[in-house]
């Protein structure tokens, strides 16, 4: 406070909490960011391509990179639904013309992919650059991001196979996205200024208008849907998800057969927690073999269990191709035994 | 109701007081042989101990007549548990995943067990989780918060703050709910999950402590005329980003929090720093906050251009949908529970609105034909959970329980019919429809949707 002149001090006392705080009032707090620091962290790319790094990449290079860094989760053609929802597919040549993905309204689309939704290619550039690949985010150089985007755009038949995507032409490509006209901000769920004042949305006007009726509000009760039988037990034993005392009890939902299933679900959870499911599918190969493939290979071998336990522990290479299985020192021995037994029992 | 009838502390005339349900049935059917046998066995096994208990049970509850060990022995000293944990009997209420919802734990959700919680504050260890690329326990001495502008003209000086510095600044402590935009998203089309943990468990409420973001922006010399948007960015692998309107920053509502329920944030909730954006869906409350950029345009980040967009029947997606509108749910009794018996119950639940305070909550026991106003447990706070209670005597006949919130703007929580009429069934996000729980004669409560 010694730096303030007296009149300013009085002013601050009176209006302390509401007055706009002058620049550098909090003496000794914070410091200027260096240009290198800002450059290191400020990597965002906006729809007007502010923040876009210079660079370029072609479809072919993108294909190589995608196979190497992305396909284990997304499938070779961005079509896989195994780990994440699909990236590519679901749009037509006509959608590229209109800028509205028809399948979204016609109901013909079995599942939305990234390209059936996204209206701005800047979004995909920004996200791949900041968050991909899944296990080593921010490791891609700008040219690699351009190449991977070029490959995805080619998969979506937005650009030809010999296309080179660059900071020079990415804005033109954005104008070809199949769902570029598919976003609306005409709603009441934006908490800032409305569109008519330079912001977004309709100024908070809700789209439903229920009334707080108190008596005889309707002639009858229409039930739209009840809990399906399979869903009653899909979340395990509900009796164990509430206290053993109190005004109610958790409903006992599992019989002995279902309890066994739940125990197996517990093992699946253990497999997920231990990181197994990132590379192995239940049936088919992701990076490593699917569990039913493992069972088929080791069928009838009496030492299968001990051999697999050793393999899971120490890792291995060669049996299923060139990609090595990493050692799993972080998984407890007893858990490895549980997991191997579960896999050999059909992982059901 | 089977085993549920075994309520402790209830006195019944001998021999029921010490017989199982099956044995009582046997007695009623005239099969008394086993009684003699079991009494004989009890006597033989431990005559001195077992026999008096059986005899005295008729006089009253043995838990009263005979002092238990905790009343007749020395307990444990202070600081036995330097960080206290819940009782060993409280092992059931846990964060849980919904099977099949996500295939990768690092990009999944764990739901808060609302079915057994009281009041409005969520125990920090039970706060729901939603991570986009896994969570880390970040070393606070290495964490930095940078404030910069998308353009040099929007901010006089880009700055860097350490935790040491942020914690020197004037702080606020406020209670707010945080709800994932996809809460109740599983139920847009039809009933899909059995309990309130899975229907509504992507909500929690805490007292957060931190520094209003406007303090930092003004410390950096923000130009409010030009900078109308803020981009918040996390320090995790996904470096999650969301656009926040400057109006909410200027009002002083948005703050950079380090405290949660009296202690530091939990790692799963953004330790050591997260953004608090009251009334707005959880994805905007960026965890592990490392950077704030002020800008003159919205950013259309992945989580506002590919996800967190609401599909309408027209095929259009609503973009930048952020506010969590008024909503409520009865937590006791709720789906997947069974009532103990006929008679009196305190029906209890939660209500909240992203547009301000809850003004009124009405409860129906007949599927929405007639309604009664519930008691609100005060003080009712701005953009916080509000606990409501109402008395009910269950006569053993079927019932459908609903709650309906009204906020201070006069907005009334919609029915499923009203919501689907304007938004269809594939929106995923922002489902704030009235929840219904059906009670049948057995006392079992289940999830149903009333249109």
């Amino acid at each position: 406070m010694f730096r303030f002149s007296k009149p300013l001090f009085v002013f601050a006392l009176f209006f302390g909490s509401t007055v706009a705080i002058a620049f550098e009032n909090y003496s000794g707090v914070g410091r200027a960011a260096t240009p290198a620091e800002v450059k290191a962290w400020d990597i965002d790319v906006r729809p007007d391509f502010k923040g876009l790094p210079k660079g370029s990449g072609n479809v072919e290079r993108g294909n190589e990179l995608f196979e190497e860094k992305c396909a284990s989760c997304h499938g070779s053609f961005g079509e896989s639904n195994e780990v994440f929802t699909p990236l590519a597919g679901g749009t037509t040549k006509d959608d590229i013309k209109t800028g509205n993905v028809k399948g979204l309204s016609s109901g013909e689309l079995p599942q939305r992919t990234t390209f059936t939704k996204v209206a701005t290619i800047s979004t995909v550039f920004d996200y791949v650059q900041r968050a991909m690949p899944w296990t080593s985010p921010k490791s891609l150089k700008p040219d690699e991001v351009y190449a991977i985007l070029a490959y995805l755009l080619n998969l979506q038949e937005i650009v030809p196979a010999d296309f080179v995507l660059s900071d020079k032409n990415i804005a033109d490509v954005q104008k070809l996205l199949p769902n570029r006209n598919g976003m609306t901000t005409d709603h009441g769920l934006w908490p800032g200024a409305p569109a008519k004042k330079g912001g977004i949305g309709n100024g908070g006007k809700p789209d439903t208008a229920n009334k707080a009726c108190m008596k005889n509000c309707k002639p009858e009760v229409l039930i739209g849907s009840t809990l399906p039988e399979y869903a009653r037990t899909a979340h395990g034993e509900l009796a164990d998800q509430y206290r053993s005392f109190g005004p109610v009890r958790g409903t006992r939902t599992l019989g002995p057969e279902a309890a066994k299933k739940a125990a197996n679900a517990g093992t699946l959870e253990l497999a997920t927690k231990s990181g197994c499911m990132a590379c192995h599918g239940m049936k088919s190969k992701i990076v490593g073999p699917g569990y039913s493939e493992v069972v088929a290979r080791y069928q009838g071998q009496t030492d299968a269990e001990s051999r697999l336990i050793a393999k899971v522990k120490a890792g291995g290479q060669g049996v299923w191709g060139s990609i090595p299985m990493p050692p799993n020192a972080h998984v407890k021995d007893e858990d490895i035994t549980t997991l191997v037994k579960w896999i050999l029992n059909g992982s059901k | 109701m089977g085993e549920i009838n075994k309520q402790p502390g209830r006195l019944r005339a001998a021999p029921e007081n010490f017989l199982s349900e099956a044995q009582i049935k046997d007695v009623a059917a005239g099969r008394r042989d086993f009684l003699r046998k079991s009494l004989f066995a009890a006597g033989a096994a431990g005559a001195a101990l077992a026999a008096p208990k059986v005899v005295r049970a008729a006089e009253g509850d043995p838990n009263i007549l005979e002092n238990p060990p905790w009343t007749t022995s020395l307990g444990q000293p202070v600081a036995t548990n330097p960080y206290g944990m819940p009782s060993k009997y409280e092992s059931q209420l846990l964060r849980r995943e919904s099977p099949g919802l996500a295939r990768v734990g690092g990009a999944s959700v764990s739901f808060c067990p609302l079915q057994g919680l009281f009041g409005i504050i969520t125990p920090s260890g039970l706060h729901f989780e939603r991570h986009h690329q896994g969570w880390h326990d970040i070393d606070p001495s290495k964490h930095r918060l940078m404030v910069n502008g998308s353009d040099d003209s929007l901010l006089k000086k880009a700055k860097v703050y350490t935790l040491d510095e942020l914690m020197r600044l004037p702080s606020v402590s406020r209670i707010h709910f945080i709800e994932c935009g996809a809460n109740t998203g599983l139920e847009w089309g039809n009933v899909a999950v059995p309990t309130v943990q899975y229907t509504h468990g992507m909500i929690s409420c805490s007292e957060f402590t931190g520094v209003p973001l406007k303090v930092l922006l003004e410390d950096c010399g923000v130009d409010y005329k030009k900078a109308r948007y803020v981009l918040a960015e996390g320090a995790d692998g996904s470096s999650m980003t969301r656009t926040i309107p400057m109006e909410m920053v200027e009002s002083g509502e948005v703050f950079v929090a380090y405290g949660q329920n009296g202690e530091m944030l939990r790692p799963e909730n953004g330790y050591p720093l997260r953004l608090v954006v009251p009334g707005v869906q959880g994805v905007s409350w960026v965890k592990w906050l490392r950077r704030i950029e002020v800008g003159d345009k919205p950013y259309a980040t992945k989580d506002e251009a590919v996800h967190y967009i609401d599909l309408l029947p027209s095929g259009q997606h609503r973009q930048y949908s952020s506010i969590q509108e008024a909503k409520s749910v009865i937590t006791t009794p709720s789906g997947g529970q069974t009532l103990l018996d006929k008679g009196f119950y305190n029906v209890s639940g939660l209500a909240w609105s992203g547009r301000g305070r809850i003004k009124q909550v009405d409860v129906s026991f007949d599927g929405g034909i007639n309604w009664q106003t519930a008691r609100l447990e005060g003080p009712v706070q701005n953009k916080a959970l509000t606990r409501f209670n109402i008395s009910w005597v269950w006569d053993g006949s079927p019932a459908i329980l609903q709650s309906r919130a009204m906020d201070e703007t006069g907005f009334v929580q919609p029915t499923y019919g009203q919501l689907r009429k304007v938004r269809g069934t594939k929106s995923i996000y922002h489902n704030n429809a009235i929840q219904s729980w059906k009670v049948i004669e057995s006392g079992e409560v289940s999830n149903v949707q009333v249109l």
Side-chain angles (χ1 to χ4, degrees):
Chain A
M1 286 299 170
F2 59 88
R3 278 173 39 191
F4 293 159
S5 66
K6 207 166 186 187
L8 181 63
F9 180 58
V10 172
F11 181 75
L13 274 182
F14 269 94
F15 301 101
S17 60
T18 52
V19 72
I21 296 144
F23 184 45
E24 280 199 329
N25 236 5
Y26 295 108
S27 174
V29 174
R31 62 159 176 88
T34 70
E37 287 172 339
V38 173
K39 194 175 168 227
W41 276 10
D42 184 358
I43 58 168
D44 64 84
V45 180
R46 289 197 319 204
D48 61 359
F49 298 103
K50 189 157 212 163
L52 184 74
K54 286 193 169 33
S56 67
N58 64 30
V59 174
E60 196 190 336
R61 175 71 184 130
N63 192 352
E64 287 166 19
L65 285 164
F66 198 86
E67 198 57 46
E68 182 192 332
K69 294 171 187 286
C70 320
S72 61
C73 287
H74 295 295
S76 289
F77 307 104
E79 83 298 344
S80 173
N81 195 23
E82 282 288 321
V83 185
F84 299 102
T85 47
L87 304 176
T91 67
T92 65
K93 287 264 181 215
D94 206 42
D95 295 341
I96 296 172
K97 271 186 217 147
T98 62
N100 278 300
V101 172
K102 194 160 167 262
L104 290 170
S105 54
S106 68
E108 289 157 20
L109 202 61
Q111 184 173 19
R112 282 180 287 172
T113 69
T114 298
F115 277 93
T116 61
K117 294 186 280 186
V118 72
T120 40
I121 196 68
S122 60
T123 304
V124 186
F125 192 101
D126 177 273
Y127 180 64
V128 172
Q129 175 173 254
R130 76 172 53 245
M132 288 293 114
W134 180 246
T135 51
S136 50
K138 299 175 192 67
S139 61
L140 296 171
K141 300 193 167 52
D143 284 350
E144 295 178 315
V145 179
Y146 280 107
I148 288 167
L149 258 61
Y151 175 66
L152 286 172
L153 288 160
N154 176 248
L155 280 179
Q156 208 62 35
E157 298 177 0
I158 296 166
V159 302
D162 60 356
F163 193 76
V164 183
L165 182 71
S166 73
D167 56 296
K168 304 282 186 304
N169 62 15
I170 195 168
D172 296 327
V173 170
Q174 182 152 289
K175 291 177 194 147
L176 299 173
L177 287 190
N179 202 42
R180 64 186 175 277
N181 298 322
M183 296 290 164
T184 175
T185 52
D186 183 18
H187 58 74
L189 298 182
W190 176 249
K196 64 181 176 195
K197 288 189 179 166
I200 291 171
N202 68 17
K205 195 173 165 285
D207 59 356
T208 60
N210 198 8
K211 297 219 161 41
C213 167
M214 300 303 286
K215 289 274 165 240
N216 301 317
C217 299
K218 54 186 178 185
E220 59 179 339
V221 176
L222 291 174
I223 302 278
S225 164
T226 57
L227 187 71
E229 193 50 37
Y230 70 84
R232 191 170 178 265
T233 52
H235 288 73
E237 179 53 84
L238 298 182
D240 298 337
Q241 298 178 31
Y242 188 75
R243 292 188 183 89
S244 54
F245 61 97
V248 296
R249 296 287 184 272
T251 303
R252 192 155 290 283
T253 42
L254 298 185
E257 192 52 34
K260 198 174 127 205
K261 253 192 203 159
N264 281 330
T267 316
L268 175 59
E269 201 174 302
L270 179 64
T272 309
K273 219 184 260 173
S274 309
C276 313
M277 306 310 288
C279 295
H280 299 278
M282 300 296 277
K283 289 206 177 74
S284 50
K285 182 179 157 130
I286 300 178
V287 177
Y291 292 142
S292 23
E293 296 172 311
V294 175
V295 175
R297 178 172 295 234
Y298 288 89
Q299 198 126 43
Q301 301 183 24
T302 45
D303 60 344
E305 190 177 310
S306 57
R307 277 173 60 199
L308 281 174
I309 288 172
K311 230 178 229 299
V312 172
K313 231 167 150 169
Q317 186 176 9
V319 185
W320 299 94
S322 58
I323 302 173
M325 165 145 169
N328 287 287
H330 66 289
V331 188
K332 279 188 271 177
D333 285 359
E334 64 205 68
D335 287 347
I336 291 178
T337 308
T338 308
L339 287 165
V340 166
K341 279 188 174 159
W342 171 71
I343 291 164
L344 290 174
N345 274 323
S347 49
K348 279 180 207 133
Chain B
M1 293 180 206
E3 64 190 88
I4 226 162
N5 272 344
K6 280 190 279 172
Q7 294 172 50
R10 291 204 154 185
L11 291 180
R12 286 176 286 183
E16 286 85 343
N17 202 38
F18 58 92
L19 296 184
S20 73
E21 293 291 313
Q23 289 168 329
I24 292 166
K25 278 191 190 126
D26 283 343
V27 173
R31 294 189 293 271
R32 290 169 181 274
D33 274 7
F34 81 94
L35 248 185
R36 278 194 298 277
K37 276 182 210 151
S38 61
L39 278 178
F40 176 74
L49 288 172
K53 214 165 206 163
V54 171
V55 172
R56 294 195 64 186
E59 296 168 23
D61 186 342
N63 290 297
I64 295 172
L65 299 177
E66 291 161 33
N67 278 321
W70 48 89
T71 315
T72 55
S73 62
L74 176 63
Q76 301 187 66
V78 297
T80 303
N81 302 320
Y83 193 103
M85 296 298 287
S87 158
K88 65 181 177 186
Y89 300 103
E90 294 294 313
S91 61
Q92 306 89 350
L93 298 171
L94 303 171
R95 294 196 278 228
R96 293 174 197 271
E97 280 188 273
S98 182
L101 186 59
R103 274 161 257 192
V104 186
S108 186
V109 172
S110 72
F111 295 82
C112 175
L114 301 177
Q115 68 272 23
L117 301 186
F118 314 115
I120 62 169
I121 298 294
T122 309
S124 297
L126 295 178
H127 193 295
F128 83 94
E129 296 170 282
R130 166 73 170 118
H131 312 310
H132 290 254
Q133 210 148 336
W135 62 276
H136 295 275
D137 196 353
I138 292 177
D139 179 347
S141 71
K142 294 181 178 163
H143 189 72
R144 305 287 179 268
L145 177 66
M146 180 186 290
V147 178
N148 73 309
S150 65
D151 202 297
D152 287 345
S153 70
L154 303 181
L155 196 73
K156 281 191 184 148
K157 188 196 261 181
K159 287 186 81 166
V160 173
Y161 301 89
T162 61
L163 261 295
D164 290 344
E165 292 160 345
L166 291 169
M167 292 167 84
R168 282 167 69 177
L169 289 170
S171 67
V172 295
S173 294
R174 292 180 194 142
I175 296 173
H176 289 300
F177 77 82
I178 168 172
E179 182 183 23
C180 176
N183 200 21
T184 324
L186 292 164
E187 303 256 311
W188 263 106
N190 50 269
V191 171
V193 291
T195 74
V196 71
Q197 177 158 21
Y198 307 109
T199 59
H200 289 75
M202 282 195 266
I203 191 165
S204 294
C205 184
S206 303
E207 185 200 55
F208 293 99
T209 296
V211 184
L213 182 55
K214 68 183 285 185
V215 167
L216 300 176
L217 296 193
E218 288 167 13
D219 186 43
C220 295
V222 65
D223 181 346
Y224 282 131
K225 279 209 184 76
K226 289 185 194 154
R228 298 313 303 158
Y229 299 92
V230 157
L231 181 78
E233 180 183 272
D236 58 326
S238 75
S239 291
M240 241 267 322
T241 41
R242 281 281 300 188
T243 306
I244 320 281
M246 191 61 90
E247 289 80 9
M248 283 195 78
V249 179
E250 285 176 284
S251 74
E253 270 194 288
V254 175
F255 62 103
V256 173
Y258 43 80
Q260 179 183 356
N261 296 333
E263 57 185 5
M264 283 295 291
L265 292 162
R266 294 288 173 96
E268 299 94 319
N269 301 127
Y271 182 91
L273 214 57
R274 89 174 303 168
L275 201 62
V276 171
V277 191
V280 167
Q281 61 187 355
V283 67
S284 292
W285 297 43
V286 173
K287 295 190 283 190
W288 315 290
L289 183 72
R290 78 164 189 180
R291 193 171 71 95
I292 292 286
E293 176 176 305
V294 299
D296 54 356
K297 284 182 179 158
Y299 288 83
T301 69
K302 184 261 290 174
D303 288 308
E304 48 201 25
V306 178
H307 304 300
Y308 300 90
I309 51 176
D310 314 1
L311 179 60
L312 299 171
S314 66
Q316 292 276 300
H317 285 93
R318 282 182 174 172
Q319 196 176 21
Y320 301 115
S321 54
S322 302
I323 295 173
Q324 297 298 107
E325 294 184 296
K327 186 168 170 180
S328 68
V329 66
I330 293 170
T331 52
T332 306
S334 57
Q337 299 182 334
T338 301
L339 299 170
L340 287 178
D341 208 343
K342 292 176 199 172
F344 184 86
Y345 285 90
N346 178 54
V347 173
S348 185
L350 295 164
W352 60 96
S353 168
R355 289 206 176 91
R357 286 175 176 76
I358 287 295
K359 191 158 105 191
Q360 185 176 317
V361 178
D362 302 314
V363 171
S364 173
F365 297 97
D366 60 11
I369 296 173
N370 298 292
W371 297 81
Q372 301 165 49
T373 300
R375 303 191 314 274
L376 301 185
E377 300 306 320
V380 175
Q381 311 205 45
N382 181 39
K383 301 177 184 177
L385 289 187
T386 298
R387 174 65 64 175
F388 66 85
N389 291 295
I390 190 167
S391 301
W392 181 46
V393 176
W394 183 48
D395 62 5
S397 57
I400 294 178
L401 276 56
Q402 299 182 321
S403 65
R404 182 182 68 193
M406 185 202 292
D407 68 19
E408 62 182 330
T409 70
F411 175 84
V412 179
Q413 185 182 1
T415 64
Y416 263 103
Q418 290 167 336
L419 202 58
R420 286 187 186 141
K421 206 170 158 190
V422 286
R423 300 192 204 162
T425 57
K426 293 176 178 165
S427 173
I428 298 183
Y429 304 99
H430 300 111
N431 179 356
N432 65 327
I434 290 173
Q435 171 69 44
S436 306
W437 304 119
K438 184 174 78 170
V439 182
I440 57 174
E441 287 93 338
S442 67
E444 185 174 338
V445 187
S446 66
N447 185 1
V448 297
Q449 286 183 357
V450 172
L451 297 176

